Amino acid sequence: MSENTRRRRTIARHGQLRTPSTASQLLKLIGIAMAVVLVSGIGVAAYVFYDLASTVTANAVELEGQEELPPDIGAYKGGFNLLLTGVDTCEEAYKQYFGERCSGPDSEGTLNDVNLLIHVSEEPRRITAVSFPRDLMIPIPECVDADGDVRSGMSKQPLNTAYTDGGLNCVVKTISALTGQEIQFAASVTFGGVIEITNAIGGVDVCLANPIQDDHTGLDMAAGNHTIQGIQALQFLRTRHGVGDGSDLGRIGNQQQYMTSLARKMISGETLGNIPVMLKLATTGVKNLEPSQSLADPMKIVQIALAVKNVPFQDIVFLQYPNVTDYDDPNKVIPDEEAAAAMWDAINANSQLQITHVNTDRDGVVVTDPPPGETDPATTPDPSQPVVALPDSIKGNSAAQQTCSNGNVRE
């Protein structure tokens, strides 16, 4: 077997293929983990986490080579990183919703289809969440799989095969090697939690600039504002054919709209101020997480929540990892190394990030707030703080901005 041959062939979902990807809902899982992190800032949540600590500890994964972390996250030089990954495990209770992914020829193995690296800076606290395309072609390091067998490193494979090779630890190693970022905390979540988490918080508000009708996911939504939960929320996060150019990159933008709305809901009194909702959410989240051992400490989760709960919306930024089309396969992408270096330099310097990319009809979302030509004080950089204009190839938005799905009717 050659170095560049992966044991399991995966179907590219960056290009406009006909095969539906059921696992994108996982990004909603990301919602689940982010919800747990953000909601745990209230003191009573500590009780919930202590009560569930045995469950979390039993599922905890050791991150290879990680040194003992300081007990106080305030001591982490440069802030800290949390990797959240959504895996497409076909759970018995939900597999009927996912078609061939759970019953057809593409059903073997478990893929990390959603990968989100959240950087929380030192003071002044800023949160930057970077989404990585599932079909990003990068090196996968040597990893040990669930059976204890060593999987040899590969020089160029899709990112979403890392979990198959060595679980959560392998995803952490892969993204850490790609970004140069030390990852202190990590968690994986299955797509069953998508339904559970949205129901627990009473739904997430989303906006559609245009209707979405996607036969691949069964999603049929009119233009306008909607509160989605349950199966519909799952369909919304899965849809690829229904937004932008029908690619996985457009889907990431659509998923980030969901996360932006989720972050606003978590931080607002609507959730944090509602103790019954918070307790239900915390309980649901913990039961659906596979955390790293570093994240299995209830008080550490509370510390993280306290560190992020007062971050202003304009300093919560969602970015898509910069990429270009793979010269070997137009259905795949490879890192845009120059743009990525500029992005990480700005993040590591704790600069305010200014997104210069202007969305087109090929993107998954359109920015509707503030309107073109106008400024919003909530999104205007603080002149007393360093500001870095990111390369225009880097897509994203802050939580202070309103985005709406750039829907398409696709069969």
Side-chain angles (χ1 to χ4, degrees):
M1 180 179 294
S2 69
E3 183 188 39
N4 289 322
T5 301
R6 178 56 67 193
R7 302 165 185 81
R8 179 182 183 279
R9 179 178 175 273
T10 60
I11 296 178
R13 293 183 173 88
H14 163 59
Q16 298 186 41
L17 303 185
R18 301 291 296 180
T19 303
S21 168
T22 56
S24 311
Q25 46 173 323
L26 275 9
L27 197 264
K28 167 171 281 212
L29 275 10
I30 272 186
I32 190 175
M34 181 177 284
V36 172
V37 170
L38 292 174
V39 89
S40 304
I42 303 301
V44 69
Y47 173 80
V48 175
F49 281 105
Y50 277 123
D51 188 49
L52 297 171
S54 58
T55 300
V56 177
T57 303
N59 296 331
V61 175
E62 182 178 0
L63 299 183
E64 183 179 337
Q66 185 175 75
E67 298 179 359
E68 185 175 354
L69 297 173
D72 185 352
I73 62 172
Y76 297 171
K77 183 175 177 57
F80 59 90
N81 291 301
L82 168 64
L83 177 69
L84 300 173
T85 185
V87 295
D88 63 356
T89 306
C90 291
E91 299 157 292
E92 189 65 32
Y94 305 106
K95 66 181 184 181
Q96 68 269 26
Y97 301 119
F98 309 128
E100 290 187 359
R101 179 60 191 95
C102 291
S103 60
D106 194 34
S107 62
E108 67 174 275
T110 299
L111 304 173
N112 49 297
D113 272 348
V114 175
N115 303 277
L116 188 72
L117 183 59
I118 300 175
H119 176 78
V120 181
S121 73
E122 291 181 311
E123 298 290 350
R125 293 289 190 191
R126 294 188 174 92
I127 302 171
T128 309
V130 181
S131 294
F132 296 79
R134 48 161 286 150
D135 292 317
L136 186 68
M137 301 297 288
I138 55 175
I140 305 292
E142 179 182 282
C143 296
V144 179
D145 66 17
D147 297 323
D149 297 326
V150 175
R151 292 300 209 48
S152 60
M154 310 291 280
S155 65
K156 186 181 180 184
Q157 291 297 320
L159 169 60
N160 73 334
T161 62
Y163 194 91
T164 302
D165 276 3
L168 178 62
N169 178 62
C170 196
V171 182
V172 170
K173 289 180 66 176
T174 300
I175 291 183
S176 182
L178 172 67
T179 63
Q181 297 286 311
E182 180 183 357
I183 299 174
Q184 291 86 2
F185 308 104
S188 67
V189 281
T190 64
F191 53 44
V194 174
I195 297 170
E196 302 299 333
I197 194 63
T198 47
N199 290 342
I201 64 175
V204 172
D205 297 332
V206 297
C207 166
L208 274 64
N210 309 300
I212 295 177
Q213 184 178 351
D214 179 7
D215 290 346
H216 293 277
T217 61
L219 184 64
D220 189 351
M221 297 177 67
N225 298 318
H226 301 264
T227 299
I228 57 174
Q229 60 185 18
I231 296 300
Q232 188 181 45
L234 188 74
Q235 294 169 328
F236 180 83
L237 286 170
R238 284 181 53 206
T239 187
R240 170 170 65 88
H241 297 276
V243 293
D245 62 359
S247 74
D248 184 57
L249 303 182
R251 176 167 53 192
I252 288 176
N254 197 51
Q255 292 170 340
Q256 287 182 335
Q257 182 204 168
Y258 170 89
M259 290 191 294
T260 298
S261 180
L262 176 64
R264 288 196 294 257
K265 187 167 187 175
M266 292 298 103
I267 292 176
S268 72
E270 187 176 354
T271 297
L272 289 180
N274 188 325
I275 291 179
V277 170
M278 185 195 66
L279 293 177
K280 184 177 181 181
L281 179 60
T283 302
T284 301
V286 168
K287 290 181 178 180
N288 284 276
L289 282 172
E290 176 196 43
S292 61
Q293 288 185 352
S294 56
L295 197 61
D297 175 6
M299 282 310 298
K300 190 62 62 68
I301 297 176
V302 172
Q303 282 187 31
I304 293 173
L306 292 172
V308 304
K309 74 183 185 72
N310 292 321
V311 175
F313 289 157
Q314 68 266 28
D315 286 332
I316 302 175
V317 178
F318 296 89
L319 301 175
Q320 185 176 128
Y321 186 83
N323 60 83
V324 294
T325 301
D326 187 357
Y327 44 80
D328 290 329
D329 184 348
N331 288 319
K332 304 287 187 179
V333 293
I334 57 176
D336 181 338
E337 295 180 357
E338 183 176 354
M343 180 183 72
W344 291 119
D345 285 347
I347 292 173
N348 292 335
N350 197 17
S351 301
Q352 293 184 88
L353 305 180
Q354 181 181 358
I355 297 168
T356 62
H357 175 79
V358 177
N359 286 17
T360 70
D361 60 4
R362 294 181 60 82
D363 291 308
V365 295
V366 295
V367 178
T368 60
D369 183 21
E374 297 183 17
T375 59
D376 182 342
T379 62
T380 301
D382 181 349
S384 67
Q385 298 292 325
V387 178
V388 172
L390 296 175
D392 63 8
S393 59
I394 299 178
K395 303 175 183 180
N397 63 273
S398 77
Q401 293 174 295
Q402 175 68 56
T403 60
C404 293
S405 301
N406 184 23
N408 283 315
V409 176
R410 295 179 184 270
E411 297 181 356

